[in-house]
């Protein structure tokens, strides 16, 4: 597969994930890419909003038809997260890091998020859509987003969005190929861990009915975060199952 071989560019959409799903239903090939200059209803996880103004960010969605078990789909967020971090590092030299499972941060602020959605039935995956939002040349953010930043804010340099997209596609291709083998992250989990900011740090795990603090000790090849509490209890935290409150003061 080559990510981005087929592309659709839009001046304005509601959400590139929504566009990609419609294209999937109309038969789009795996690797197809939807890119928009602006989103009017950009989405985060769990119905949250994603601020997507015109001309300054990368708002895009990759359509995939992975031949993996349905439980492996949320791991695509980690595949994308690593590809984004590598792309940003390669093109800008900035110290971008992954905040497990799906954020990319620079100097403790969020510059990028990933939204992974899927369609399937009876354990079969029809398609998955991996949405990537990256603040590239944004100069300022609304007051409601105190923990957001952009590559421009962090460096004082404006970057070419097209070049960043090309870097992302190349890295994503490589990691996705490895992921496709077994639906696991085994071939690049060390690289992921080396670029992950939560590891060996305190995290707060927020589950539906409880929350607790713990120390993040590892990430396994399924992309699960391994945490240890003060009383020694070790828990495997699933991607998509909980939110981790980490560097910022708000709940993600
Ligand atoms: C995410 O959700 O981080 C996933 C964001 C995915 C956006 C892409 S853009 C292309 C594609 N099409 C879509 O409609 N979506 C995807 P989550 O972890 O739930 O974080 C959402 C939270 O991040 C919000 O509640 C805000 O607090 C904050 N936020 C919103 N917009 C932001 C921005 N532009 N930069 C940084 N933080 C933002």
């Amino acid at each position: 597969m080559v990510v981005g071989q087929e592309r659709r560019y839009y001046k304005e959409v509601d959400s590139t994930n929504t566009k990609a799903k419609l294209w999937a239903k109309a038969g789009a090939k795996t690797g197809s890419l939807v890119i928009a200059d602006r989103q009017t209803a950009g989405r985060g996880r769990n119905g949250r909003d994603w601020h997507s103004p015109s001309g300054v960010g990368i708002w895009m969605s990759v359509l995939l038809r992975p031949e993996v078990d349905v439980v492996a789909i949320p791991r695509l967020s980690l595949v994308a997260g690593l590809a984004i971090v590598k792309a940003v590092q390669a093109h800008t030299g900035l110290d971008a890091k992954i905040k497990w499972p799906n954020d990319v941060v620079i100097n403790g602020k969020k510059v990028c998020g990933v939204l992974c959605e899927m369609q399937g039935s009876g354990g079969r995956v029809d398609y998955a859509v991996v949405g990537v939002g990256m603040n590239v040349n944004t100069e300022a953010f609304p007051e409601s987003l105190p923990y957001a930043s952009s590559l421009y804010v962090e460096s004082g340099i404006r970057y070419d969005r097209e070049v960043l997209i090309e870097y992302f596609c190349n890295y994503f291709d490589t990691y996705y190929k490895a992921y496709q083998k077994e639906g696991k992250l085994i071939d690049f989990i060390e690289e992921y861990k080396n670029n992950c900011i939560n590891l060996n740090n305190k995290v707060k795990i927020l589950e539906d009915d409880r929350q607790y603090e713990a120390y993040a000790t590892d990430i396994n090849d399924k992309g699960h975060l391994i945490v240890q509490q003060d009383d020694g209890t070790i828990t495997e935290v699933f991607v998509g199952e909980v939110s981790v409150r980490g560097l910022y003061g708000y709940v993600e």
Side-chain angles (χ1 to χ4, degrees), residues 5-208:
Q5 223 169 26
E6 306 263 340
R7 296 183 187 201
R8 286 187 180 174
Y9 282 88
Y10 295 90
K11 192 83 202 131
E12 182 179 298
V13 297
D14 47 1
S15 153
T16 54
N17 267 36
T18 307
K19 278 279 179 208
K21 286 183 202 170
L22 289 171
W23 195 8
K25 281 178 197 139
K29 283 200 298 200
T30 190
S32 296
L33 186 61
V34 174
I35 302 168
D37 190 56
R38 171 170 186 250
Q39 295 185 118
T40 54
R43 287 184 278 121
R45 297 173 304 159
N46 302 323
R48 291 189 279 261
D49 290 333
W50 184 258
H51 178 62
S52 322
S54 166
V56 290
I58 295 173
W59 325 124
M60 67 180 176
S61 300
V62 188
L63 165 75
L64 299 162
R65 300 192 185 273
E67 285 161 29
V68 297
D69 195 279
V70 67
V71 298
I73 294 300
R75 295 172 204 159
L76 283 168
S77 288
L78 284 81
V79 178
L82 183 57
I84 294 161
V85 155
K86 297 292 285 187
V88 171
Q89 291 173 350
H91 183 48
T92 71
L94 287 164
D95 188 26
K97 291 274 184 259
I98 303 161
K99 182 174 150 297
W100 186 91
N102 77 317
D103 291 353
V104 174
V105 300
I106 300 177
N107 298 325
K109 293 205 164 178
K110 179 163 170 170
V111 295
C112 191
V114 177
L115 173 66
C116 180
E117 299 178 299
M118 64 152 280
Q119 178 68 48
S121 57
R124 238 197 75 254
V125 181
D126 188 6
Y127 61 81
V129 171
V130 178
V132 173
M134 193 193 297
N135 306 316
V136 181
N137 296 323
T138 323
E139 289 180 8
F141 291 88
E143 266 177 34
S144 57
L145 297 176
Y147 301 104
S149 192
S150 71
L151 304 185
Y152 172 75
V153 168
E154 295 306 319
S155 64
I157 297 168
R158 283 177 212 285
Y159 294 100
D160 186 328
R161 289 177 291 169
E162 276 301 319
V163 176
L164 279 161
I165 291 171
E166 291 323 306
Y167 271 108
F168 169 82
C169 288
N170 284 327
Y171 279 114
F172 189 87
D173 234 40
T174 306
Y175 300 126
Y176 183 73
K177 234 171 250 156
Y179 159 88
Q180 272 273 68
K181 278 193 255 164
E182 276 188 82
K184 289 194 181 161
L185 315 176
I186 196 152
D187 289 353
F188 51 89
I189 193 64
E190 285 308 316
E191 200 174 1
Y192 183 95
K193 290 199 292 193
N194 287 338
N195 285 287
C196 180
I197 210 158
N198 305 98
L199 227 45
N200 305 318
N201 271 316
K202 212 158 198 178
V203 290
K204 189 177 262 184
I205 311 294
L206 306 164
E207 293 177 349
D208 288 341

